[in-house]
Amino acid sequence: MLRLESIRKTYRTTEVETRALDDVSLEVAAGEFVAIMGPSGCGKSTLLNILGLLDSPDGGAYWFFGEEVSKYSEQRLTALRRTGVGFIFQSFNLIDDLNVAENVEVALLYRHVSRGDRKRRIAAALERVGIAHRARHLPQQLSGGQQQRVAIARALVAEPKLILADEPTGNLDTENGAAVMDLLAGLNAAGTTVVMVTHSLVHAARAKRTVKLLDGRVVSETLLAA
Amino acid sequence: MLRNYLMAALRNLARNKLHAAIGICGLAVGLAAALIAALYVRNDLTYEHFLPGYARIYRISSSYADPAGAPVPIDVTPPDVARWLAVRLPIRQIARIDVGSRHGIRVGTVSSLERLSWADPEFFDIFRFPVVAGDLARALRRPDDIVLTRTLARQLFGRDDPVGQTLLLDDKHLLRVAAVIEDLPPNTHLNFGIVASSLASFSSFTPLDAQPLAFGKSVDAYTYFRLPQAATLDQVRASLHDFIAALYKPKMAGGLRFSFSVVPIAAIHRLPPAEGAMKARGSPALLYAIAAVGLLILLAAAINFVNLSTARAAARHVEVGIRKAVGATRRTLIVQFIGEALLRTGLALLVALGIAELLLPVFNRLSQSRLTFDYLHDSSILPAAVGFASVVGVLAGLYPAVILSSFRPVTALRGGATRAGGEAVRSALVTVQFAVLTGLAIAIVVVFDQTSYAERMVGRLDTTRIFAVNGACGRTDADTFRTLPGVVSAACSASAPLGYIYTKSFGTVRRGVKTFFTDEAVDFDFFELYGLKPVAGRFFSRDRGGDAAPGGTSSTRGAPIVINETAVRKFGFSSARAAVGELVNVFGPPSEIIGVVPDFPTRSIRSPIDATVFYVDPKQFDLLSVKVSAPQEAQALAAIDARWAQLDPSRPVSRFPVAQMLRELYADLEADGAVFSACSAIALLLACAGMYGLASSIAERRTKEMGIRKAMGAGRADVLRLLLRQLTLPVLWAQLLAWPVCYVVMDRWLAGFAYHIELGAASFLAAGAAVIAISWATVLGHALRVARARPVAALRYE
């Protein structure tokens, strides 16, 4: 369902040119749980951003659910993203001025979901990540683990076919990290494709396949026994 | 250490040129605007202060009212009031000066036409003007004394001290210059040309003073007195009451009320408009508006500056952290920040002085004032500006200094707690700025509407290429000019359309209708010349011999008359059509109304149009109106001047375009509009700067949020809508704030006009829409940048 072919991405400043991705090819099948690993600066986040249509590659081709999207305009990417992708970030990226329920609602706002329907789905999503009792709290009143659960609720509320998680446990302690991994595994078990960037071997082990990156290239792919 | 701070401060300025420029220029514009506003307000509040002992100088004003009407104030009094008071009260310094009229003046071989007013010898005892030459205290004691202003002295004699020299009045009377005074400053209600002694046998007062005190003397005089310790105002008022009771009450027609009031001269400038005013009065609404706007602009600029400084300082948390780490105390840091802010406000003040210098002539031209900015001799304006700039500087430095210096070094280094707060404050500030802007925008729309309304009123007269020649019809008739080459048409009148004399008649014009009215003699072709069409009936016709019959009391039938629309109402007719053919008693015997002419203004648009009765009476003709053809205009004007020279070689021709004279009827309105526009331009600049600051801070703060929203599928339009909505809110609040205040102020401003537009929702909506559009234009750049940013860029922003 996702297929990258010879993807290249370079970042330029006036002085430095950084090749973030260099000839990356990768395929992710429906219902997979893929972990992307590698040292800092190897291009993991860039790869995830391209997979999630947050960024476009400089070269190569990308088939997103059968559509070649590498040359798509921002507008068309937005439309695809709106219906198909959920994001989970390392730094949670919750909006400070909105409470928990409103933060989750953001994922539905741009999908023309009716008000009543939104309410019902938000409640269900918060229930699912175990944070329903904090629906009226602001992000800064929550712990890191709780904030990440809100972020997960936001990612799953729209029922996307693909969830991308950028070091979802990076800012969490072991216990909260494990809880987040349980949630992701649960989502995957329910049929959602999950692609996750992580530094943690333990968390990577929860995935069905691990892709290792080094200096912008895929160096190994390991299929783990499920 | 000081050097280290100064270097840090200057480098900081140099590194953040744009930021520094916005901050300093914003404050400078605010200071400059406030300086000019302060000059204007001070000028307005110091009317007559240049006269020694001005607080004890009073003027007597009159007012009259018919039984139905509200009292109409008049600045002049009958000439006998001064004589009455002088013999009854211990007031020695009481004097009259008349309205003044143009006379031929000859000095050597040069002749010109100058305004001359007759005044009593005590006039200059009351008004001790600054003297250029001569003995002002003794001036006007001799019947041939005159007093000139410096400008007139230069103009007539080519020098400042022609004391003892003579000029020839109307080629008949020799007058001697007794003293020269400084030109009148702008902040006085007085306005006169040559002042000549009322003791002259040919003065306008002399024949009247020869008669006993009486009712109904025609010459009107401004009456002033200086109140001595020995007398009280109550005595003056009581004596004036007696004057009316003794001389006027017995003679006045039933129901007419006449009264006097005593006004300190310093207050005259702020009185409501009155008939016969020497000079157009200031409009208090404009004064308040300028004072308020000046203050608000200054406040907005100051808060903008403090805000910018604070935001700037927050970015310097690393410097603060390092300075603290190496041992700087809170006190030294506070001193450093305040010092830097003072440096910037100092620069702003210098720029402000430059801007004020540049703008003052423009402002003077717009507001028709003569303000000056004199650093050396002005003891209050500059120190006030320096003081204010210092306060702003200290505030701008204090807030960031206290906040930043309070952090522990490590917090400051991390920059953790320095997130620029105060967005609510900034939002409130932007609201206030936009409220000011909205208010001014509404004012401009209303003033513009009123001006074009006034133009339309005046525009009822077609004055294209019509020239008025003073005194021509007193010497010959219109036919003399009608046959000149290039002249299309010519007609005589007593003074129409350039203002009637202030005397009015009062009487019973019909059964049960007692009212005031003005009468005016016009030629047969007069209305046609000015393109007027009868509302009903007809105008005067040469073909009907009866039309020319002069109004008199001897015949049994008065002259046929044309009345204006106001007269139709005042005389109690249901319509113009109903009035035609009716008989009214305006000249004693009944006169037939043969037609109705549209109302047209002859005095300031602030004064009501009188009920006016027109009739044909060549004996009263004085003013000639000549319409010339476009291709032969120059030729025609030359011919007119040549014909005048034959008629009266002793005086130069007094000829001027009527359109320009009528334009002066609403010139003060245009001044109001210009001042409001100038204030708005500055307010607009500051409001936009504030809005820009708010937008950049909001855009900065919400970049990440917009990234998240975009990751969640928000499109550009969604993001744009969201940002614009947030930025529009303060502007909408501003409307709510501005509208009621503006309604009250503009309603009062309009109330100063006898004929004015109605305040409608349209002006408010139009101004509001314009302001919202301006605010959008200001923030659109920021909003678009955020909306266009790729979500990943926005998310990586941290």
Side-chain angles (χ1 to χ4, degrees):
Chain A
M1 93 179 195
L2 305 178
R3 187 151 65 86
L4 299 177
E5 253 185 39
S6 305
I7 290 293
R8 274 178 289 105
K9 181 75 185 175
T10 311
Y11 291 112
R12 284 182 199 87
T13 66
T14 41
E15 284 139 34
V16 198
E17 190 178 285
T18 316
R19 186 159 289 188
L21 292 178
D22 187 5
D23 197 23
V24 171
S25 296
L26 182 70
E27 219 168 315
V28 179
E32 258 198 303
F33 187 167
V34 179
I36 300 171
M37 296 194 73
S40 291
C42 70
K44 303 184 298 286
S45 294
T46 306
L47 180 60
L48 204 67
N49 287 338
I50 288 174
L51 282 174
L53 309 176
L54 289 177
D55 208 349
S56 299
D58 295 335
Y62 175 25
W63 279 269
F64 180 84
F65 291 89
E67 278 184 77
E68 211 287 285
V69 297
S70 62
K71 302 282 184 292
Y72 271 22
S73 70
E74 172 63 26
Q75 220 164 349
R76 296 186 71 179
L77 292 179
T78 302
L80 286 176
R81 202 161 59 224
R82 194 177 290 163
T83 53
V85 196
F87 291 93
I88 301 165
F89 304 94
Q90 176 182 0
S91 51
F92 322 135
N93 276 341
L94 299 179
I95 296 170
D96 296 339
D97 298 337
L98 303 182
N99 68 26
V100 165
E102 289 161 349
N103 261 294
V104 174
E105 190 180 20
V106 167
L108 297 175
L109 278 184
Y110 307 105
R111 290 173 211 221
H112 309 295
V113 180
S114 74
R115 202 183 174 79
D117 210 14
R118 284 209 300 269
K119 225 169 149 179
R120 194 176 45 70
R121 283 168 74 169
I122 292 164
L126 290 178
E127 199 63 52
R128 199 160 159 194
V129 299
I131 199 94
H133 59 296
R134 296 288 177 119
R136 301 279 156 241
H137 287 232
L138 288 172
Q140 55 268 38
Q141 296 170 313
L142 304 179
S143 73
Q146 289 171 324
Q147 289 192 41
Q148 194 60 300
R149 283 173 204 222
V150 177
I152 293 171
R154 184 178 63 186
L156 64 82
V157 73
E159 292 160 9
K161 284 167 279 186
L162 173 67
I163 285 186
L164 298 172
D166 192 353
E167 300 198 40
T169 59
N171 283 5
L172 301 178
D173 59 29
T174 322
E175 196 183 333
N176 276 311
V180 164
M181 285 315 298
D182 287 343
L183 280 171
L184 287 177
L187 283 173
N188 180 243
T192 312
T193 310
V194 178
V195 179
M196 171 182 77
V197 164
T198 183
H199 277 298
S200 162
L201 282 167
V202 179
H203 294 157
R206 302 284 295 267
K208 291 170 184 160
R209 180 155 67 105
T210 303
V211 176
K212 277 197 176 148
L213 285 182
L214 186 64
D215 295 338
R217 288 166 174 276
V218 177
V219 289
S220 74
E221 283 191 49
T222 317
L223 203 60
L224 298 165
Chain B
M1 184 133 98
L2 193 67
R3 191 169 164 277
N4 182 294
Y5 286 158
L6 195 62
M7 290 313 291
L10 287 176
R11 284 194 192 130
N12 196 280
L13 277 184
R15 197 150 25 99
N16 302 293
K17 282 190 199 78
L18 181 69
H19 212 276
I22 290 176
I24 289 172
C25 290
L27 183 60
V29 168
L31 278 172
L35 271 174
I36 293 178
L39 284 175
Y40 184 90
V41 170
R42 192 179 62 169
N43 176 67
D44 208 278
L45 295 179
T46 54
Y47 262 65
E48 325 300 348
H49 286 206
F50 74 106
L51 290 164
Y54 69 89
R56 295 197 72 81
I57 306 177
Y58 295 85
R59 193 190 66 196
I60 300 166
S61 310
S62 326
S63 90
Y64 63 83
D66 58 35
V72 178
I74 328 173
D75 276 6
V76 288
T77 64
D80 288 346
V81 169
R83 288 169 63 202
W84 172 276
L85 288 177
V87 296
R88 282 168 179 78
L89 291 175
I91 299 177
R92 295 285 75 85
Q93 296 172 330
I94 183 161
R96 304 160 298 174
I97 183 167
D98 78 350
V99 177
S101 55
R102 285 174 178 269
H103 291 263
I105 300 290
R106 186 184 294 279
V107 177
T109 55
V110 183
S111 65
S112 62
L113 211 62
E114 302 296 342
R115 202 169 137 222
L116 182 138
S117 297
W118 303 100
D120 291 331
E122 295 80 10
F123 184 72
F124 290 108
D125 295 341
I126 300 169
F127 296 103
R128 296 167 194 159
F129 296 104
V131 180
V132 176
D135 184 359
L136 192 63
R138 302 181 58 81
L140 306 191
R141 306 272 174 212
R142 288 171 40 162
D144 61 344
D145 276 352
I146 57 166
V147 173
L148 303 176
T149 60
R150 188 195 281 270
T151 300
L152 270 172
R154 284 188 188 170
Q155 190 185 311
L156 295 173
F157 294 94
R159 55 201 187 88
D160 287 357
D161 59 340
V163 175
Q165 293 199 257
T166 56
L167 55 77
L168 197 58
L169 176 72
D170 295 331
D171 274 345
K172 277 189 280 212
H173 312 291
L174 207 57
L175 298 177
R176 190 186 62 95
V177 180
V180 177
I181 57 171
E182 288 288 0
D183 288 343
L184 295 179
N187 49 355
T188 176
H189 79 285
L190 293 164
N191 180 20
F192 48 74
I194 299 171
V195 182
S197 175
S198 66
L199 302 179
S201 60
F202 42 88
S203 93
S204 63
F205 290 121
T206 304
L208 298 161
D209 290 351
Q211 299 162 16
L213 300 177
F215 167 77
K217 287 189 183 176
S218 64
V219 170
D220 290 316
Y222 301 97
T223 307
Y224 298 93
F225 65 91
R226 193 180 268 269
L227 189 68
Q229 301 294 345
T232 66
L233 283 183
D234 284 337
Q235 286 176 304
V236 176
R237 290 195 185 101
S239 190
L240 288 169
H241 195 77
D242 294 345
F243 177 90
I244 292 174
L247 295 173
Y248 275 52
K249 275 269 169 63
K251 302 270 185 180
M252 280 187 300
L256 177 66
R257 284 169 295 144
F258 195 86
S259 66
F260 291 116
S261 60
V262 181
V263 191
I265 54 164
I268 291 173
H269 174 58
R270 272 190 296 285
L271 291 177
E275 294 193 7
M278 265 195 189
K279 215 164 136 179
R281 306 246 222 272
S283 111
L286 183 67
L287 175 72
Y288 299 143
I290 287 184
V293 167
L295 217 63
L296 285 170
I297 283 178
L298 188 60
L299 201 69
I303 299 176
N304 258 353
F305 181 77
V306 174
N307 252 327
L308 277 167
S309 302
T310 309
R312 194 68 241 141
R316 289 172 67 187
H317 54 87
V318 174
E319 181 192 332
V320 172
I322 290 169
R323 283 189 191 271
K324 288 201 101 172
V326 299
T329 63
R330 258 194 101 167
R331 220 178 61 110
T332 53
L333 281 171
I334 290 175
V335 168
Q336 179 194 351
F337 273 102
I338 291 177
E340 282 185 21
L342 283 176
L343 182 76
R344 289 199 303 275
T345 45
L347 283 174
L349 185 58
L350 285 179
V351 178
L353 293 179
I355 295 176
E357 285 278 350
L358 282 174
L359 286 186
L360 201 55
V362 181
F363 181 84
N364 277 339
R365 205 167 56 240
L366 292 180
S367 65
Q368 294 161 14
S369 44
R370 296 204 322 252
L371 304 176
T372 55
F373 198 25
D374 188 349
Y375 305 102
L376 297 178
H377 302 100
D378 205 319
S379 57
S380 52
I381 292 261
L382 196 60
V386 170
F388 183 81
S390 310
V391 171
V392 172
V394 169
L395 282 178
L398 197 65
Y399 178 68
V402 168
I403 301 289
L404 276 179
S405 63
S406 70
F407 294 146
R408 290 168 172 280
V410 61
T411 319
L413 277 172
R414 229 190 268 133
T418 57
R419 221 190 74 182
E423 204 160 273
V425 177
R426 209 174 295 188
S427 201
L429 167 74
V430 166
T431 304
V432 171
Q433 286 175 329
F434 271 88
V436 174
L437 183 64
T438 307
L440 286 166
I442 293 169
I444 290 175
V445 173
V446 173
V447 173
F448 179 80
D449 277 359
Q450 175 65 14
T451 308
S452 39
Y453 178 77
E455 278 170 5
R456 280 201 302 281
M457 286 284 290
V458 172
R460 290 182 177 179
L461 297 178
D462 176 11
T463 53
T464 322
R465 285 187 303 283
I466 296 183
F467 293 82
V469 184
N470 260 331
C473 289
R475 287 164 176 76
T476 178
D477 57 24
D479 292 338
T480 316
F481 288 89
R482 198 176 290 124
T483 50
L484 292 176
V487 169
V488 177
S489 174
C492 290
S493 61
S495 62
L498 303 176
Y500 311 130
I501 304 158
Y502 304 117
T503 46
K504 288 186 185 180
S505 311
F506 179 80
T508 307
V509 292
R510 300 170 64 206
R511 185 192 299 265
V513 179
K514 281 181 190 170
T515 187
F516 281 103
F517 60 90
T518 304
D519 57 77
E520 171 71 15
V522 294
D523 215 341
F524 288 108
D525 309 317
F526 180 81
F527 295 129
E528 289 83 357
L529 179 77
Y530 282 100
L532 293 165
K533 301 262 183 306
V535 177
R538 61 174 179 90
F539 291 154
F540 302 111
S541 166
R542 226 177 276 280
D543 305 332
R544 305 190 188 217
D547 280 3
T553 46
S554 56
S555 62
T556 52
R557 218 13 158 20
I561 56 170
V562 169
I563 62 174
N564 67 359
E565 291 168 302
T566 302
V568 169
R569 286 192 301 277
K570 285 278 178 77
F571 292 179
F573 295 111
S574 58
S575 71
R577 200 176 292 276
V580 175
E582 292 291 319
L583 295 176
V584 289
N585 301 303
V586 288
F587 305 118
S591 294
E592 187 195 348
I593 299 170
I594 59 165
V596 175
V597 64
D599 279 342
F600 55 89
T602 58
R603 292 204 301 277
S604 166
I605 186 82
R606 293 183 196 270
S607 318
I609 292 172
D610 293 324
T612 310
V613 171
F614 297 93
Y615 57 101
V616 180
D617 181 4
K619 283 203 299 292
Q620 303 204 32
F621 289 167
D622 186 53
L623 187 80
L624 174 76
S625 298
V626 187
K627 190 173 180 81
V628 302
S629 75
Q632 289 174 282
E633 186 170 330
Q635 194 188 345
L637 294 181
I640 290 167
D641 294 357
R643 180 58 50 90
W644 172 270
Q646 291 169 0
L647 286 172
D648 187 348
S650 71
R651 324 171 42 160
V653 66
S654 166
R655 164 176 63 73
F656 39 81
V658 172
Q660 186 194 319
M661 300 294 286
L662 289 178
R663 202 179 161 77
E664 279 167 19
L665 299 183
Y666 55 89
D668 57 329
L669 217 102
E670 292 186 332
D672 283 11
V675 170
F676 277 126
S677 304
C679 290
S680 308
I682 291 167
L684 175 67
L685 213 71
L686 286 171
C688 286
M691 190 67 168
Y692 189 85
L694 181 72
S696 67
S697 100
I698 285 177
E700 202 167 294
R701 193 172 66 83
R702 298 188 72 175
T703 296
K704 184 185 122 186
E705 176 191 334
M706 293 309 151
I708 297 169
R709 286 186 186 271
K710 291 186 105 178
M712 298 300 140
R716 268 180 216 176
D718 298 311
V719 170
L720 205 60
R721 209 175 306 131
L722 200 70
L723 282 173
L724 283 184
R725 192 190 303 148
Q726 187 183 6
L727 286 163
T728 309
L729 263 178
V731 182
L732 289 177
W733 279 114
Q735 310 290 315
L736 285 185
L737 221 64
W739 287 14
V741 178
C742 219
Y743 184 85
V744 173
V745 171
M746 292 325 286
D747 199 50
R748 286 193 55 185
W749 184 79
L750 285 175
F753 297 91
Y755 298 89
H756 59 78
I757 54 164
E758 291 305 316
L759 269 185
S763 319
F764 289 73
L765 291 176
V771 167
I772 289 174
I774 288 167
S775 73
W776 279 358
T778 312
V779 300
L780 204 63
H782 279 300
L784 269 179
R785 187 139 18 93
V786 174
R788 276 212 195 113
R790 296 220 150 203
V792 65
L795 286 172
R796 207 185 290 119
Y797 176 76
E798 282 198 299

